[in-house]
Amino acid sequence: MYGDVDHDGDVDAVVEYEWDFSRSGGNGWGENIAVFRNNAGRFEWIADDEVGGKSSRLFKLIGIKNGLILGETLSDLKGTYACQEVGDNCVRRNVQLSLKGNKLIEK
């Protein structure tokens, strides 16, 4: 996804990706966001952070607006595990992430 996340007027790139532990013998998985700054037309990595996973929540990248990375999560009421659909103990929440230096901060 593309948009200005560092407020310099250039279009940056945000990538959502998943990883799993099955290759190392585990059964967990995680969801990350990587941010790449547009530097004179070349994308340079500046941040990467876990935003979801099996033991926390599902994360879906929605967009970039006014320097904020917008996402949606799906988890139990306490945010302690990911769920597959909204129900009695599972809620959908909107998330905003901002870039501070090389860190993603959830608002």
Side-chain angles (χ1 to χ4, degrees), residues 21 52 101 107:
F21 297 117
K107 295 184 168 204

Side-chain angles (χ1 to χ4, degrees), residues 14-75:
V14 177
V15 178
E16 177 182 6
Y17 66 95
E18 293 184 6
W19 47 268
D20 68 58
F21 297 117
S22 62
R23 292 185 178 171
S24 61
N27 66 355
W29 50 270
E31 298 172 312
N32 280 45
I33 293 284
V35 179
F36 298 85
R37 174 181 289 132
N38 183 341
N39 185 3
R42 295 184 60 168
F43 290 103
E44 299 175 345
W45 173 89
I46 54 172
D48 191 317
D49 204 0
E50 185 175 339
V51 292
K54 180 180 180 180
S55 61
S56 59
R57 63 190 184 180
L58 293 179
F59 182 89
K60 179 180 178 183
L61 181 62
I62 301 295
I64 301 167
K65 185 174 181 179
N66 299 325
L68 296 173
I69 300 167
L70 307 175
E72 185 178 86
T73 65
L74 193 59
S75 68

Side-chain angles (χ1 to χ4, degrees), residues 57-103:
R57 63 190 184 180
L58 293 179
F59 182 89
K60 179 180 178 183
L61 181 62
I62 301 295
I64 301 167
K65 185 174 181 179
N66 299 325
L68 296 173
I69 300 167
L70 307 175
E72 185 178 86
T73 65
L74 193 59
S75 68
D76 70 312
L77 296 174
K78 295 180 183 178
T80 56
Y81 66 88
C83 358
Q84 300 299 318
E85 59 187 49
V86 174
D88 291 337
N89 292 321
C90 191
V91 295
R92 189 177 314 275
R93 295 182 177 97
N94 292 320
V95 175
Q96 296 179 343
L97 302 166
S98 62
L99 185 65
K100 301 290 183 197
N102 65 343
K103 302 278 185 194

